[in-house]
Amino acid sequence: MTTPSAATATPSPTASGTGHAAPDGRGSLGPVGLVLAGGVSVQFGGALAVTLMPRAGALGVVTLRLLVAALVLMVLCRPRLRGHSRTDWGTVVVFGITMAAMNGLFYQSVARIPLGLAVTLEVLGPLVLSVLASRRAVNLVWAGLALAGVFLLGGGSFSGLDPLGVVFALGAGAMWAAYIVFSARTGRRFPQADGLALAMAVSAVLFLPLGIVEAGTKLLDPTTFALGAAVAVLSSVLPYTLELLALRRLPASTFAVMMSLEPALAAAAGFLILDQALTAVQAAAIALVIGASMGAVRTQVGRGKADVAL
């Protein structure tokens, strides 16, 4: 079990390797930009993954995504395998298991229910974490606003959906909350993105048999593999790296509330790229979600300035 204090623990400057915080507080906005960039990358990767599913199936897509991401990260990071404690290895293995479960459950969900609703249900995991991990009463307000926006994005009702798809989405949300916690812990124990590369390798090894069973030789098709590689970069390599770096300087509770931006980014991408018009309810939902995220960020930045003043 992970306690709230563990989830919100922030590494010291020497432990994270980021140096001293800027006294004017501008450095506090850096992690926010990293999280937003990661969210945009995930949405493009998710759209591409949906087009790939008819070729390789849900489990095949996850396998390609994790395998290619692991290869890229291992080559780029070349993480050291020596000099780590048993606790370090335990943390990175659990992180890898969490990523494998999160991806597998989510793609099983979108194979049964619409993508937007799956994301809406999945984001409940980080929202619950933000409430449990928060040490300030105001974060309950931001989480409540974000939760209201999430349900509005779901049309205010989740009736008529495939029950198994809903269960998979909620399970993915629980794994997403665990991912936030163990990503932060891994970032504190391993330099740069070394821990992420090792955890991704664990995920790929765990998922490879499932992908082979479902897709078989389809995974070796050049077009399928190329699309899978693109999905891996957009949905795994870039966002996971950006989020891991952000979590070294951003508390897990604030990060979790910001994850509620994912449904809003998906709706915006649908409007801009797929020409899907937004209803008044959806626009109101986006406003609630963005307002909650901005409030959480402003709360954290204000707390950082107060800490510096002390």
Side-chain angles (χ1 to χ4, degrees):
M1 291 293 291
T2 301
T3 62
S5 60
T8 57
T10 304
S12 66
T14 55
S16 64
T18 57
H20 295 289
D24 59 2
R26 288 178 295 180
S28 298
L29 296 179
V32 176
L34 293 176
V35 174
L36 292 177
V40 171
S41 181
V42 165
Q43 295 310 320
F44 280 97
L48 183 58
V50 172
T51 66
L52 182 57
M53 274 190 190
R55 288 176 170 269
L59 297 180
V61 171
V62 177
T63 299
L64 287 174
R65 172 177 170 173
L66 295 176
L67 181 61
V68 174
L71 292 174
V72 171
L73 287 172
M74 290 296 287
V75 170
L76 292 179
C77 299
R78 290 181 289 180
R80 291 188 302 106
L81 300 180
R82 297 180 180 274
H84 302 298
S85 68
R86 182 175 298 179
T87 303
D88 293 341
W89 282 113
T91 300
V92 85
V93 167
V94 174
F95 186 27
I97 294 172
T98 298
M99 283 196 292
M102 179 178 67
N103 282 282
L105 290 169
F106 178 73
Y107 280 108
Q108 287 294 328
S109 174
V110 298
R112 293 168 171 81
I113 63 177
L115 177 62
L117 295 182
V119 174
T120 301
L121 288 168
E122 185 191 27
V123 85
L124 295 179
L127 284 172
V128 171
L129 174 64
S130 73
V131 173
L132 296 178
S134 175
R135 295 181 180 180
R136 305 190 67 183
V138 69
N139 281 337
L140 297 176
V141 176
W142 305 134
L145 287 176
L147 184 61
V150 164
F151 276 109
L152 283 177
L153 279 174
S157 172
F158 294 99
S159 61
L161 297 178
D162 185 323
L164 192 56
V166 172
V167 171
F168 280 135
L170 293 175
M175 290 299 100
W176 194 355
Y179 159 80
I180 293 171
V181 174
F182 283 97
S183 179
R185 290 186 176 186
T186 300
R188 292 193 294 267
R189 290 183 173 276
F190 292 83
Q192 304 304 322
D194 287 10
L196 174 63
L198 294 170
M200 193 68 75
V202 171
S203 297
V205 170
L206 290 175
F207 227 94
L208 184 57
L210 299 177
I212 292 175
V213 169
E214 178 170 276
T217 57
K218 294 178 182 178
L219 298 176
L220 302 178
D221 178 77
T223 301
T224 300
F225 190 84
L227 290 172
V231 171
V233 172
L234 290 172
S235 295
S236 294
V237 177
L238 283 178
Y240 288 171
T241 301
L242 293 174
E243 290 169 4
L244 185 145
L245 295 175
L247 277 164
R248 289 176 175 170
R249 298 163 58 193
L250 196 68
S253 57
T254 302
F255 178 86
V257 174
M258 288 192 66
M259 287 296 96
S260 61
L261 275 172
E262 295 293 338
L265 290 174
F271 175 73
L272 295 174
I273 299 173
L274 304 175
D275 198 26
Q276 297 175 344
L278 296 173
T279 66
V281 172
Q282 289 172 330
I286 290 174
L288 282 174
V289 171
I290 292 177
S293 297
M294 290 179 62
V297 172
R298 287 178 64 85
T299 298
Q300 173 57 23
V301 171
R303 185 171 117 184
K305 291 180 179 179
D307 290 343
V308 171
L310 292 176

